[in-house]
Amino acid sequence: MKAHDGMYIGGAWRPAEGRDTIAVVNPADEQVIAHVPAGTAADVDAAVRAARAAFPGWAATPPAERAARLAALRDALAARAEEIAETITAELGSPLRLSRAVHARVPVLVAGSYAELAAGHAFEEKLGNSTVLHEPVGVVGAITPWNYPLHQIVAKVAPALAAGCTVVLKPAEDTPLTAQLFAEATVQAGIPAGVFNLVTGLGPVAGQALAEHPGVDLVSFTGSTAVGRSIGATASGAVKRVALELGGKSANVILPDADLARAVSAGVANVMSNSGQTCSAWTRMLVDAERYEEAVALAAEAVAKYEPGERIGPLVNAKQQARVRSYIEKGLAEGARLVAGGPDSPREKGYYVSPTVFADVTPDMVIAQEEIFGPVLTILRYEDEEDALRIANSTVYGLAGAVWAADAERAVAFARRMETGQVDINGGRFNPLAPFGGYKQSGVGRELGPHGLAEYLQTKSLQF
Ligand code: NAD
């Protein structure tokens, strides 16, 4: 695969300060497909300086012009959709169909939504005898994961640029080629030099240097809770803004009168998509005692259609594969009933894990509490609605969820009592404008739509 051997800083691809590189591996066949530079604190420093230098000019650029650049970015991403899909399939391992339909397509929608929001946003408001100015926060340090490599970049960079901020991005080490393609798209879109900068590198080196850099005003991080917690502590210590998008263990609550077949099939698809590497995945299916066995049988039947290597890809790397397999072992040791899959690798080559379903899972089990981040569904039994609510709210997470009922009103009443940031009612459709983010330990802040834009703005009030 084509890769740049430099960093995109201040409008040019520059050689890295150090000589170390990161090997990019195709998780489907374990072959090295490219190398990218492993950035150091010196590269991060150069990128932050470039972003600081570009900030006053970009902040003063009229919102309509910023909107025009974002519209051009949307068009550049749309024009290169096939190349983006192939690159994501090569470095993440997702089936090409998923890469096209989700990984390449959603970022186009999100970039487009921010072109519109930048053009229409009221960056000034009147409040009594005050004029309130909504001004960009400054230089943003964005640290992104590998599971939705382009979406997570665009969900940070597009609102930051719409607000008038400049950005330094440190993408995940597993998926840097997608980030390089994104940098190329910003050039095609005519985004001025220094407004967007890219430093590839290891998390504890380049990522940490970015989070700690005094020239960064806001750190936006998506990834594991452990790293998020430490970034949050570093940022608060420096009195910097911080946005954290962390893990989840979301509940798919199927109420007793719901269309069971539909809810189970949508629930299985939701967990198996992207090999279960989705922070908002509904990994806990909650079913009433009466229809429990029927749901388990339906889930086992649905999961059998996910043939590894065809409909479901590998995990991103060997470490994640080992981690997920150890959770499956843990589920067996805890006494959960395995109804599909298991810890054995379904293929000789590639970081595959068998699509797995556990029944008789109780809320206190580790597999019902911790984020597994693989194709593993747990099915829990509830006695009545109060019991279902207690189970749904019984983890430290609160990112997403689903409720199914014959009557949408009943589902909404249940959703109101859930401690979580986003709930799909009877299989509601994805909305790129809906705020996305966590309650409890799933994070701080919101991404997407106008709420995502607000994260990158600060207010100044003028009194008359
Ligand atoms: P991670 O948190 O280590 O990596 C996410 C990003 O943070 C990457 O860009 C990484 O380079 C960077 N990073 C790592 N250590 C850092 C540090 N000390 N300072 C600054 N940046 C740092 O996640 P991972 O190891 O790739 O995945 C482990 C687990 O995290 C997964 O199994 C899953 O549970 C969770 N995860 C969640 C999401 C999500 O969308 N919420 C995404 C990826 C992973």
Side-chain angles (χ1 to χ4, degrees):
M1 282 240 124
K2 204 172 70 169
H4 290 276
D5 56 7
M7 309 284 181
Y8 183 68
I9 296 176
W13 290 93
R14 294 194 203 168
E17 297 279 342
R19 293 173 143 226
D20 291 348
T21 60
I22 296 172
V24 186
V25 175
N26 182 333
D29 62 11
E30 305 179 29
Q31 297 299 306
V32 173
I33 53 171
H35 287 88
V36 298
T40 58
D43 298 303
V44 168
D45 186 55
V48 173
R49 282 170 194 276
R52 281 239 79 86
F55 176 62
W58 184 247
T61 300
E65 170 58 15
R66 297 202 299 257
R69 291 304 110 228
L70 285 165
L73 179 64
R74 170 202 61 206
D75 294 344
L77 295 174
R80 300 180 72 171
E82 188 58 20
E83 193 186 348
I84 289 168
E86 284 170 9
T87 303
I88 293 178
T89 288
E91 59 183 0
L92 176 67
S94 46
L96 196 52
R97 213 170 59 160
L98 181 75
S99 298
R100 287 181 179 136
V102 176
H103 292 297
R105 198 178 71 89
V106 173
V108 173
L109 298 178
V110 173
S113 75
Y114 280 111
E116 280 177 32
L117 284 164
H121 192 75
F123 287 95
E124 251 186 70
E125 65 178 305
K126 290 269 184 228
L127 211 55
N129 63 316
S130 301
T131 297
V132 180
L133 309 178
H134 295 258
E135 299 187 334
V137 169
V139 172
V140 172
I143 301 173
T144 54
W146 39 263
N147 54 334
Y148 289 86
L150 187 59
H151 170 66
Q152 279 142 339
I153 291 172
V154 173
K156 297 188 191 308
V157 177
L161 299 196
C165 294
T166 57
V167 179
V168 176
L169 168 69
K170 205 303 282 174
E173 33 279 72
D174 293 288
T175 54
L177 303 179
T178 304
Q180 292 190 341
L181 271 183
F182 176 78
E184 288 179 6
T186 68
V187 179
Q188 287 176 286
I191 289 166
V195 169
F196 170 79
N197 308 275
L198 170 67
V199 176
T200 51
L202 300 175
V205 181
Q208 191 157 340
L210 183 58
E212 289 174 351
H213 200 293
V216 169
D217 301 293
L218 183 158
V219 183
S220 180
F221 168 83
T222 300
S224 64
T225 303
V227 175
R229 190 173 278 131
S230 112
I231 286 179
T234 305
S236 338
V239 198
K240 266 181 209 174
R241 289 248 206 136
V242 64
L244 304 172
E245 213 58 75
L246 309 176
K249 192 75 188 174
S250 297
N252 179 15
V253 182
I254 306 176
L255 292 177
D257 62 354
D259 178 340
L260 188 68
R262 207 173 139 231
V264 170
S265 132
V268 168
N270 177 286
V271 173
M272 298 302 150
S273 178
N274 213 36
S275 305
Q277 302 168 120
T278 305
C279 46
S280 55
W282 308 332
T283 48
R284 294 181 298 144
M285 184 182 284
L286 274 56
V287 186
D288 65 283
E290 204 159 303
R291 296 196 298 174
Y292 187 80
E293 286 307 330
E294 193 186 343
V296 169
L298 285 167
E301 197 184 310
V303 94
K305 296 187 194 121
Y306 288 82
E307 181 61 37
E310 307 282 337
R311 205 157 151 204
I312 187 164
L315 297 199
V316 70
N317 57 36
K319 189 176 142 207
Q320 287 300 114
Q321 182 196 34
R323 189 171 177 271
V324 173
R325 287 169 67 186
S326 79
Y327 271 112
I328 298 174
E329 303 273 13
K330 181 82 194 160
L332 291 170
E334 285 181 308
R337 171 165 51 116
L338 187 70
V339 293
D344 297 337
S345 284
R347 288 167 77 98
E348 256 174 40
K349 264 243 164 296
Y351 308 123
Y352 289 91
V353 171
S354 295
T356 296
V357 178
F358 277 114
D360 298 345
V361 176
T362 54
D364 54 312
M365 288 183 185
V366 168
I367 58 164
Q369 288 294 325
E370 295 186 10
E371 183 175 56
I372 298 174
F373 231 59
V376 182
L377 171 67
T378 63
I379 312 183
L380 295 94
R381 186 187 280 107
Y382 69 81
E383 296 306 325
D384 54 28
E385 256 187 65
E386 288 308 310
D387 192 33
L389 186 72
R390 189 183 53 78
I391 298 169
N393 289 339
S394 71
T395 77
V396 296
Y397 294 114
L399 190 54
V403 186
W404 304 79
D407 171 17
E409 288 298 312
R410 185 176 176 195
V412 170
F414 190 95
R416 283 182 186 278
R417 299 165 73 201
M418 289 170 81
E419 297 163 355
T420 194
Q422 200 168 73
V423 185
D424 290 354
I425 305 293
N426 284 334
R429 281 175 302 124
F430 173 71
N431 175 5
L433 294 176
F436 179 79
Y439 277 37
K440 301 194 282 188
Q441 289 182 32
S442 284
V444 176
R446 292 292 178 269
E447 290 195 318
L448 305 180
H451 296 269
L453 178 60
E455 296 278 325
Y456 295 93
L457 293 166
Q458 57 189 346
T459 54
K460 178 185 286 170
S461 55
L462 311 177
Q463 282 60 246
F464 293 91

